[in-house]
Amino acid sequence: MDKKAFVTKEMIEDIVKTYPTPFHIYDEKGIRENARALKEAFSWNPGYKEFFAVKATPNPFLIRILQEYGCGCDCSSYTELMLSDAVGVKGEDIMFSSNDTPAEDFVLAAKIGATINLDDITHIDFLERTLGYLPKTLSCRYNPGGYFSLGTDIMDNPGDAKYGFTTEQMFEGFRILKAKGVENFGIHAFLASNTVTNEYYPTLAKQLFELAVKLKEETGVHIGFINLSGGIGIPYRPDQEPNDIKVIGESVRKVYEEVLVPAGMGNVAIYTELGRFMMGPYGHLVTKVIHQKHTHKEYVGVDACAVNLMRPAMYGAYHHITVLGKENEPHDHKYDVTGSLCENNDKFAIDRMLPQVEAGDYLAIHDTGAHGFSMGYNYNGKLKSAELLLHEDGTVEMIRRAETPKDYFATFDGFEIYDRMFPGQEPKK
């Protein structure tokens, strides 16, 4: 697969006249096309809904685009619930999937009518004590343990994950919840992360559908929905083939008709909670080369750092890099592309073959539309960048301003550092 940036050198040179690098920029056209394709792929299921994983890209401007295609929100914290509610996502359009959950988070989820997805069997009593009742609709997160495999390939290790009920606990939990008056049940599972294969969802779906049939038969509960969660990944590397969401949707439909329909469960709604798939490919971190260093290796120093994109430092994750304006030049120079943090893992690429890079070049770091800006932090006093939206008509809108020193010092109540240093001055934008 040829990974091409959705921005050009000329576009960025124009944008930086208003918005200096580094910044994350998102492609509205790509986001819309992808949302339409997902909706169509699961249109065979009347109750289908995508609950966008807010943690991936918590920006109200982008969430509103997805709302136009019927998407809700998957939230995992108090502030994500607040954000979703403020954007206008309401009630059953919010799925609250949390773990080690504080009581106040459950209270807010119930207050705004979100569907609560319990992570542990002990949370049944905790939720009832917290609210004084149990909602009529509840979901439980399932973790079968062991390894999740496709054929002979091990995809992930659910048995080592902190999430979910065991198989035995699912049956016990459903019996307890039914006895306490819960009427509508959901099943949720996330068993593998960032899979780049069309087989993950249908394989997961078969496991959950078979579990649902047994739960209905043995506990007598009404199962209203099955949530396949996330896990559909994106091709970060150029040699990876992207998932085909149309094929995935059709494969899930076949399993649905093989397992659920014969069991009299042909009215079960299918939910998904995709973050990376929805947004990942449609974001770039754009950064400017400000230094070059020639020591034991060749280094390219840019004005972004791990604060702006943590994944390479945290996971050793690959993100493709385009040197804008040099797309057709030979990749015959080997570089480490680094930021300025006082940490040696602050590298966007190690031993990466690129065209010859010079100070002043702009780099587009691909696939930062999910888990990019959202994982940012302020180590070394670094400030988070702006977020921009490239509209379909070619115009650019700032959808989150860059942080300023005043933002950084804002939580030191009663100790106004910025105002002491710069009395009467507004921070630079």
Side-chain angles (χ1 to χ4, degrees):
M1 184 183 70
D2 186 17
K3 292 185 78 72
K4 294 182 179 179
F6 58 78
V7 291
T8 65
K9 178 183 178 182
E10 291 73 24
M11 292 169 65
I12 295 303
E13 287 177 334
D14 186 54
I15 291 170
V16 298
K17 294 174 183 176
T18 306
Y19 308 110
T21 55
F23 52 75
H24 286 271
I25 186 166
Y26 305 99
D27 177 23
E28 180 184 6
K29 181 174 183 289
I31 293 169
R32 289 184 178 278
E33 289 175 350
N34 193 46
R36 283 193 291 266
L38 175 68
K39 185 177 181 180
E40 177 61 28
F42 285 91
S43 60
W44 55 266
N45 183 259
Y48 172 73
K49 180 171 280 291
E50 156 63 12
F51 292 84
F52 172 65
V54 174
K55 66 178 74 68
T57 323
N59 190 297
F61 291 86
L62 302 178
I63 292 171
R64 280 176 175 158
I65 292 174
L66 297 181
Q67 273 187 285
E68 296 180 30
Y69 300 91
C71 298
C73 287
D74 165 52
C75 300
S76 60
S77 70
Y78 192 94
T79 47
E80 288 182 358
L81 288 166
M82 290 179 65
L83 173 61
S84 300
D85 184 59
V87 170
V89 182
K90 299 295 183 182
E92 294 179 353
D93 287 343
I94 300 176
M95 183 70 62
F96 182 56
S97 297
S98 176
N99 71 94
D100 194 20
T101 309
E104 56 266 27
D105 292 27
F106 278 139
V107 170
L108 179 58
K111 179 181 178 181
I112 64 178
T115 299
I116 294 173
N117 181 37
L118 295 174
D119 182 69
D120 185 73
I121 194 168
T122 65
H123 291 182
I124 295 173
D125 287 340
F126 183 82
L127 180 64
E128 188 174 30
R129 291 197 309 271
T130 297
L131 300 181
Y133 67 95
L134 287 176
K136 295 299 183 183
T137 296
L138 280 173
S139 176
C140 294
R141 181 168 182 167
Y142 175 54
N143 183 339
Y147 290 92
F148 182 83
S149 302
L150 294 178
T152 59
D153 296 328
I154 294 175
M155 305 300 293
D156 219 321
N157 182 11
D160 197 40
K162 64 176 181 175
Y163 310 106
F165 289 54
T166 67
T167 303
E168 295 77 12
Q169 287 172 344
M170 288 291 288
F171 286 86
E172 181 184 358
F174 273 39
R175 289 189 180 98
I176 293 170
L177 290 170
K178 183 184 179 186
K180 289 180 176 289
V182 176
E183 299 174 355
N184 188 38
F185 289 75
I187 302 172
H188 172 288
F190 180 90
L191 301 186
S193 179
N194 193 38
T195 62
V196 189
T197 167
N198 294 332
E199 299 304 314
Y200 169 62
Y201 250 19
T203 303
L204 170 65
K206 186 175 182 180
Q207 286 193 22
L208 295 186
F209 295 169
E210 290 174 346
L211 174 66
V213 172
K214 291 178 182 178
L215 283 165
K216 178 193 174 186
E217 291 174 349
E218 295 189 24
T219 68
V221 302
H222 172 261
I223 296 175
F225 60 89
I226 295 174
N227 191 333
L228 303 179
S229 188
I232 296 180
I234 62 174
Y236 285 99
R237 295 180 179 273
D239 60 354
Q240 292 178 301
E241 286 296 321
N243 287 312
D244 188 328
I245 196 62
K246 185 176 181 180
V247 170
I248 291 171
E250 175 62 15
S251 298
V252 173
R253 182 191 66 79
K254 289 180 180 178
V255 178
Y256 187 98
E257 293 184 352
E258 290 171 3
V259 179
L260 290 181
V261 173
M265 300 176 69
N267 60 345
V268 173
I270 299 299
Y271 295 164
T272 56
E273 292 173 356
L274 299 169
R276 194 189 317 263
F277 179 80
M278 297 302 292
M279 289 287 183
Y282 313 110
H284 294 334
L285 172 59
V286 178
T287 182
K288 185 177 182 179
V289 177
I290 56 176
H291 292 292
Q292 288 180 280
K293 186 172 183 175
H294 317 284
T295 55
H296 304 291
K297 301 182 75 173
E298 291 295 307
Y299 294 96
V300 170
V302 298
D303 60 2
C305 62
V307 162
N308 309 108
L309 178 64
M310 185 195 291
R311 296 186 75 255
M314 187 175 186
Y315 305 125
Y318 179 96
H319 281 263
H320 198 62
I321 296 175
T322 296
V323 184
L324 296 175
K326 298 182 178 180
E327 289 86 346
N328 298 319
E329 294 186 12
H331 289 52
D332 54 3
H333 287 65
K334 184 186 290 186
Y335 299 107
D336 282 14
V337 180
T338 75
S340 59
L341 291 186
C342 297
E343 295 290 341
N344 197 44
N345 67 349
D346 184 20
K347 297 180 179 181
F348 295 111
I350 297 173
D351 294 334
R352 185 72 60 87
M353 299 304 296
L354 295 171
Q356 184 173 2
V357 177
E358 300 168 304
D361 283 342
Y362 292 103
L363 308 184
I365 303 177
H366 290 242
D367 301 315
T368 69
H371 311 292
F373 180 94
S374 64
M375 293 178 73
Y377 55 110
N378 290 117
Y379 182 57
N380 277 180
K382 295 291 186 178
L383 304 175
K384 296 178 186 177
S385 68
E387 291 182 291
L388 310 179
L389 180 60
L390 174 63
H391 288 294
E392 292 182 286
D393 63 4
T395 60
V396 173
E397 178 184 7
M398 181 172 67
I399 57 174
R400 189 195 301 262
R401 67 167 174 81
E403 287 185 334
T404 69
K406 197 164 189 176
D407 296 314
Y408 181 79
F409 295 124
T411 52
F412 293 110
D413 289 347
F415 196 77
E416 302 297 339
I417 297 176
Y418 187 89
D419 290 338
R420 288 168 183 260
M421 293 180 63
F422 307 104
Q425 295 185 31
E426 287 297 315
K428 294 181 180 179
K429 300 296 185 183

